[in-house]
Amino acid sequence: MAELTAVLASTHHPFYLKATTAPPEERIPQADEWKRKVEAYRETLTAAEPDILVMVGADHFHQFFLDNYPTFMIGKQNKYDATFYNEEREFGIPKYVLEGDVAFSNFMHQGLLDRGFDFSFSHELKIDHSIICPIITVRPDADLPVVPIYTNIFAPPLPSPKRFWDLGRAIRQVIDEYPTDKNIAAIGTGHLSLELGGPRQFGEHGPDPEFDRQAIEWLSTGNIDAILENVTHESMSGAGNATHGFMDLILMMGIAGPENADYVDQLDLYHTREMFMTWYPNKNGRQAAAAEQSAAVSGGTAGPVTAKVGVTA
């Protein structure tokens, strides 16, 4: 059977590539630190030696709109074109062609249907930055086949946080049952507190630092009970009008299970808090060493953190 060797959950910031490759005189003050943290995070995936990537993201109204926005959808293609024109123009993200794994997509689709998740599917899916950003940050060679899963975090009515957790658990079951000797890593991106187009968009930090601190603790300690008790659509809206992307991070924790994270790092990036988290479901010596080394380089932790930012739990 397949082995799930790593689960990665992070925020996705479309300006990362542009910010860290700009000439020195044009770089934001955090660019070098941001690059160092991302490169350290990348090593936590490398240590997992994946053969296939299950990628979780959300379409930013590029391919889907209010006339037809699927709740949950899976791609089933041999190849995926990536990057829309506005992402090239505004963010400097290049075009990509990602390899697919149709056999695994079909197996995943049927397995999720069998578990009560009525997924839509697409043979004509184009990928946007919710999936390309983690490719850029943790697998820049883009050399592994992907199974893309899209969720609705933008167009109400939205599924509940509990539904995202349950979907994560179901994805984990399907991965564990896939008849292959290949290693699989699951990578998903979402948001902490985030404001898009609202009055708090360009503050000195994310719009709700307390939500961010609590969210990182809950995720890194696998505390699904606290999440389901405290996180609602209303509370996420109060933390920032685009904070519902946090539900994709709940989904990734669902894949990992209610377990302590093996690597956690973060960066206060004036209008957002960036977060980088890795779980190793069957942690071996190489992975443990990679987490320790990455934490030493990045200033993160090889383990969970408390709500007081940077304190090991």
Side-chain angles (χ1 to χ4, degrees):
M1 294 299 174
E3 181 177 353
L4 179 66
T5 54
V7 179
L8 276 67
S10 71
T11 49
H12 61 257
H13 199 306
F15 279 109
Y16 169 75
L17 185 63
K18 189 172 185 177
T20 56
T21 58
E25 66 274 13
E26 298 178 13
R27 290 192 180 193
I28 62 173
Q30 302 95 331
D32 291 341
E33 181 183 13
W34 196 3
K35 186 172 187 288
R36 173 172 54 81
K37 286 178 174 288
V38 162
E39 290 178 349
Y41 184 49
R42 185 180 305 159
E43 294 306 310
T44 71
L45 177 66
T46 301
E49 300 181 289
D51 300 305
I52 305 171
L53 304 178
V54 174
M55 306 290 298
V56 176
D59 180 78
H60 292 71
F61 294 110
H62 283 121
Q63 191 161 0
F64 307 114
F65 199 60
L66 300 182
D67 58 338
N68 185 6
Y69 203 114
T71 299
F72 299 122
M73 192 202 68
I74 189 167
K76 303 170 76 170
Q77 295 160 224
N78 289 311
K79 293 183 183 297
Y80 298 91
D81 288 333
T83 310
F84 288 80
Y85 170 68
N86 73 305
E87 296 172 309
E88 293 183 80
R89 181 193 65 213
E90 299 297 330
F91 309 140
I93 299 175
K95 290 185 178 296
Y96 284 82
V97 176
L98 304 181
E99 295 292 324
D101 189 318
V102 175
F104 190 26
S105 286
N106 286 333
F107 186 87
M108 178 69 72
H109 188 198
Q110 186 61 58
L112 294 174
L113 288 172
D114 292 344
R115 288 163 174 81
F117 289 89
D118 298 329
F119 262 60
S120 301
F121 66 90
S122 176
H123 294 282
E124 298 181 351
L125 178 65
K126 185 172 180 177
I127 300 299
D128 84 350
H129 69 268
S130 66
I131 286 176
I132 285 303
C133 282
I135 291 293
I136 290 170
T137 54
V138 299
R139 198 72 184 193
D141 290 340
D143 58 346
L144 295 176
V146 302
V147 171
I149 292 174
Y150 268 17
T151 69
N152 178 15
I153 59 171
F154 290 120
L158 302 178
S160 68
K162 175 67 160 53
R163 190 64 170 164
F164 278 77
W165 165 259
D166 289 342
L167 176 55
R169 299 308 293 151
I171 291 171
R172 171 64 178 274
Q173 291 172 5
V174 177
I175 291 173
D176 287 345
E177 293 177 3
Y178 188 46
T180 182
D181 59 358
K182 294 181 178 180
N183 292 338
I184 295 172
I187 302 172
T189 64
H191 310 138
L192 296 173
S193 69
L194 185 64
E195 184 99 347
L196 295 178
R200 294 182 290 175
Q201 178 170 355
F202 294 110
E204 295 181 358
H205 47 65
D208 191 336
E210 183 57 30
F211 176 90
D212 295 345
R213 285 190 286 269
Q214 290 288 352
I216 291 171
E217 176 180 317
W218 293 332
L219 291 170
S220 71
T221 59
N223 194 345
I224 185 57
D225 291 337
I227 288 175
L228 296 183
E229 181 179 347
N230 291 282
V231 177
T232 65
H233 292 155
E234 291 74 21
S235 70
M236 286 184 285
S237 294
N241 62 19
T243 306
H244 292 83
F246 180 64
M247 292 191 293
D248 272 343
L249 303 181
I250 298 172
L251 189 160
M252 300 312 298
M253 191 180 80
I255 298 176
E259 306 291 342
N260 285 341
D262 295 290
Y263 177 81
V264 184
D265 192 24
Q266 53 197 293
L267 173 65
D268 193 353
L269 198 61
Y270 66 93
H271 65 286
T272 68
R273 180 169 291 277
E274 299 299 291
M275 183 206 78
F276 315 97
M277 197 170 296
T278 301
W279 292 264
Y280 292 125
N282 302 289
K283 185 166 60 176
N284 59 33
R286 179 184 179 188
Q287 293 161 358
E292 292 281 357
Q293 177 61 27
S294 292
V297 170
S298 70
T301 62
V305 297
T306 68
K308 186 177 180 181
V309 173
V311 176
T312 304

